[in-house]
Amino acid sequence: MVFRCQTCKSRHVKCDAVLPICSRCKKAGRTCTWDPNDHVAETGLHFKIENSFAGGRPRRPRKVKELVPEPVDLPSLPPLSIPATPHAVDVQAFHYWLENFMFRLEDLPDIGHEYNAYVIFHWARARPGSGLHLGLFAYSHAVFGRANRVEKALEDADRAHSQAIVTMQKEMEDFEQLLDENIDQLLVTTMLMSSYQNTMYGIQIPHPSSAVDEVGSRLWQSLCHHEGALALLKLRQEHGRPPYLPLHRVVRRQVIRTCILRGVPVPDFLDSGGDYGEEGPALEVDAFMVRVAALRNKSMFLLSRESFDPPFDTQLFEDVAIKALELHNTIASWPESLPEDWTFSTRPSSASSNGIGHVYSNIPHRYSTHGHAAIWNRYRAIQLIVNSIRLRSLSHQLETLDYPSQRSFVVIQQEACRNNMELLTTDLCAGVLFFFNSLDPTGLRTLQLGKSTITTDDEILPKVAGLLAWPLTVAVSCEYIPESQRQWLKGKLEIVAKSLGDAVLESVVEQGEFRF
């Protein structure tokens, strides 16, 4: 749980947690008071350690495990752990990450959780100087440094990242002998390192000279943590069958999204969401995503220029078009039997009320939670992929047909695909608006997150922006959506990338890294 001074908390505003007087209170001349229950003296950070429920275990008392510091033997690099008396930039960096990038479990239902909801639980159980401690240090300093242009934070992040890599390698030396708890800590570390490299990609890793292709190959050449997460999930599975921890479920979700981007099928041991605790409508969308990954993999040849050259294999084009149509019809039936809390409403509003000033601003959707909205947007994104694949396959088919009646039939199907994509993209635009903070009558931006109302100066909070990154990346990479909608969505992805400090998303906006 993230802490603010009591003054800022009562006023529902952000606090930078500078002790003994935060900047906001100092500037306004207010009395700055702190909750004596804060664990600052113990950890140097402003949060309460998550209880066992955060790790998927029952709510019951347990003995506190005493953590004994173990020095890391790296003579070429100074040890970087969380100091007993942290420097101001260390406290600010951790607080910035906690406040802006970590969801509390009560903020969202499980369907909306990402790995960041479980970081602190595993961080608290890891030893000081571990890869997990160093990884969180590196990532928190990276996002803080980029957002606030603090050079020292970026330098510290770079050093911590280098040390975390070496430490992780040592921790994985006896890979097959790792205990379950060690696997889970390494899994969290791997996800943090992936987020770190997404953040620092444009700063630390030069762009390869190779051209942009359909599956972002030049990104994956440098950002390789996808394979690490897969290996750890596979090892965890080999240690025993379900039930798994919520951590494994959320990491699996991210791996599946990455598989779709890369144009590779989901590994067999991950294809059943039910084994990992997915249920209800979210399980259905999960199963659709596994099938979409397989369809994209099967249809990758359509993106090759050589597929336009004769001789044409008409059967291949037809097979892909049929599979895409079958999958579209299956996915399209998903909204028909949803429970009431999964439905959304459309509420008219003036374009000026949210400061976006576009036709889509007049039709924002309203969902019961941001978790439900995230699933809906993924649903629309995979439907865009399926229709895009079908449309491209039909276009190739058209090149092989000689009879006007055959060509006319295919043209009608193409038009139906385009209509589907336009409707889906319009819905996605309206769904995206739900994540952006609205302006209240006083000119402040507010966001309802769970039971909390957050007041902020930002258009979108980073942790909320993270729920939009994947569907927006897919949408702007679909060639067949209307150009006006693509440009509008690109603008939103640019805001998301800036909020997250994500250099990879910036590259998607500026250069395009994928094609659907």
Side-chain angles (χ1 to χ4, degrees):
M1 179 177 177
V2 179
F3 274 85
R4 295 169 283 187
C5 74
Q6 294 299 296
T7 308
C8 289
K9 186 175 181 180
S10 65
R11 299 180 65 244
H12 301 288
V13 296
K14 279 188 176 182
C15 176
D16 59 9
V18 173
L19 296 173
I21 302 175
C22 76
S23 300
R24 194 178 288 272
C25 289
K26 184 176 181 180
K27 183 177 180 180
R30 296 186 177 91
T31 301
C32 189
T33 58
W34 292 88
D35 187 337
N37 291 322
D38 287 6
H39 291 275
V40 179
E42 299 174 23
T43 65
L45 306 176
H46 295 277
F47 64 87
K48 289 181 178 177
I49 295 175
E50 297 282 358
N51 62 20
S52 59
F53 182 67
R57 294 175 171 80
R59 293 182 183 272
R60 62 183 181 185
R62 67 166 184 266
K63 294 181 180 179
V64 177
K65 179 181 177 182
E66 184 178 356
L67 299 177
V68 181
E70 295 181 16
V72 179
D73 185 17
L74 291 171
S76 61
L77 290 169
L80 283 175
S81 186
I82 298 168
T85 307
H87 299 294
V89 69
D90 298 334
V91 174
Q92 291 171 5
F94 272 95
H95 182 81
Y96 179 82
W97 176 81
L98 288 163
E99 183 79 13
N100 292 282
F101 286 80
M102 192 191 78
F103 280 112
R104 296 174 299 177
L105 295 179
E106 61 266 29
D107 288 339
L108 291 175
D110 174 79
I111 55 174
H113 286 170
E114 300 290 332
Y115 84 92
N116 53 14
Y118 305 99
V119 170
I120 289 301
F121 170 80
H122 292 283
W123 176 89
R125 297 172 66 88
R127 63 174 178 80
S130 64
L132 177 48
H133 276 228
L134 293 166
L136 182 53
F137 185 104
Y139 181 48
S140 61
H141 281 64
V143 293
F144 174 74
R146 285 205 69 183
N148 298 281
R149 300 184 180 182
V150 180
E151 193 63 31
K152 183 183 185 307
L154 294 175
E155 292 171 357
D156 289 346
D158 185 31
R159 291 192 298 122
H161 173 256
S162 299
Q163 189 170 345
I165 292 292
V166 178
T167 304
M168 281 184 68
Q169 291 173 344
K170 288 191 173 184
E171 292 172 344
M172 298 178 72
E173 283 178 352
D174 297 322
F175 187 76
E176 298 296 332
Q177 305 303 318
L178 288 172
L179 300 176
D180 287 351
E181 184 174 40
N182 300 133
I183 296 172
D184 296 337
Q185 291 175 9
L186 282 166
L187 193 55
V188 174
T189 308
T190 300
M191 302 307 292
L192 283 168
M193 301 301 276
S194 176
S195 298
Y196 172 88
Q197 287 200 326
N198 284 357
T199 300
M200 301 295 280
Y201 177 83
I203 298 175
Q204 306 245 98
I205 305 174
H207 284 210
S209 58
S210 58
V212 174
D213 63 10
E214 297 83 5
V215 294
S217 294
R218 70 197 197 114
L219 299 181
W220 311 121
Q221 290 171 7
S222 300
L223 311 177
C224 57
H225 294 287
H226 170 90
E227 285 80 7
L230 273 177
L232 289 164
L233 283 174
K234 178 65 173 176
L235 182 62
R236 193 63 160 83
Q237 188 208 46
E238 291 171 354
H239 281 206
R241 297 298 297 167
Y244 298 110
L245 297 183
L247 171 66
H248 309 144
R249 182 162 59 248
V250 298
V251 172
R252 175 184 169 276
R253 292 170 186 167
Q254 188 159 332
V255 167
I256 290 174
R257 298 197 294 268
T258 301
C259 286
I260 293 174
L261 292 179
R262 298 185 70 171
V264 299
V266 176
D268 291 343
F269 76 94
L270 291 179
D271 64 4
S272 176
D275 287 349
Y276 286 83
E278 301 285 7
E279 56 186 9
L283 174 60
E284 295 174 24
V285 173
D286 179 273
F288 297 154
M289 295 183 76
V290 173
R291 293 178 63 183
V292 168
L295 177 65
R296 173 157 161 81
N297 175 253
K298 182 180 177 64
S299 66
M300 288 304 297
F301 75 95
L302 295 174
L303 295 170
S304 171
R305 293 182 182 276
E306 287 74 20
S307 62
F308 285 98
D309 300 328
F312 295 105
D313 188 341
T314 56
Q315 190 60 49
L316 274 177
F317 299 150
E318 186 176 345
D319 287 348
V320 170
I322 290 173
K323 288 182 179 298
L325 177 59
E326 291 174 350
L327 185 52
H328 163 76
N329 289 336
T330 301
I331 298 174
S333 66
W334 177 75
E336 295 175 2
S337 58
L338 290 176
E340 186 175 352
D341 61 334
W342 276 85
T343 61
F344 64 88
S345 60
T346 301
R347 53 183 180 84
S349 66
S350 64
S352 60
S353 67
N354 50 37
I356 299 176
H358 190 281
V359 62
Y360 302 120
S361 305
N362 295 323
I363 53 170
H365 290 170
R366 189 73 184 171
Y367 301 85
S368 56
T369 72
H370 286 82
H372 291 85
I375 299 296
W376 267 102
N377 285 339
R378 289 170 196 162
Y379 161 83
R380 294 169 184 128
I382 59 176
Q383 274 285 56
L384 285 174
I385 294 172
V386 171
N387 278 273
S388 185
I389 290 172
R390 182 169 176 241
L391 189 53
R392 184 172 283 107
S393 183
L394 290 170
S395 297
H396 291 340
Q397 272 188 271
L398 198 61
E399 298 292 326
T400 70
L401 300 176
D402 297 321
Y403 297 105
S405 58
Q406 293 176 316
R407 294 176 62 85
S408 178
F409 178 69
V410 171
V411 169
I412 291 172
Q413 293 183 74
Q414 286 181 312
E415 189 60 30
C417 278
R418 289 192 178 92
N419 289 338
N420 287 338
M421 295 187 74
E422 184 171 357
L423 290 172
L424 286 163
T425 312
T426 300
D427 262 358
L428 179 61
C429 291
V432 163
L433 288 173
F434 179 70
F435 291 80
F436 282 79
N437 305 326
S438 57
L439 287 172
D440 65 17
T442 66
L444 294 174
R445 296 185 183 275
T446 59
L447 174 71
Q448 188 70 35
L449 195 59
K451 296 181 180 180
S452 304
T453 301
I454 300 172
T455 303
T456 176
D457 298 327
D458 303 321
E459 282 191 77
I460 189 169
L461 296 179
K463 55 188 173 184
V464 175
L467 298 174
L468 284 178
W470 189 81
L472 285 177
T473 294
V474 168
V476 302
S477 304
C478 286
E479 295 181 357
Y480 296 109
I481 69 171
E483 189 58 28
S484 61
Q485 293 177 321
R486 183 200 316 283
Q487 293 305 319
W488 189 88
L489 290 168
K490 267 192 172 183
K492 295 296 162 283
L493 182 57
E494 187 173 9
I495 295 171
V496 166
K498 182 179 179 181
S499 175
L500 291 168
D502 193 311
V504 170
L505 291 179
E506 291 172 359
S507 184
V508 171
V509 173
E510 294 168 6
Q511 302 183 53
E513 298 289 354
F514 306 99
R515 282 178 64 206
F516 291 98

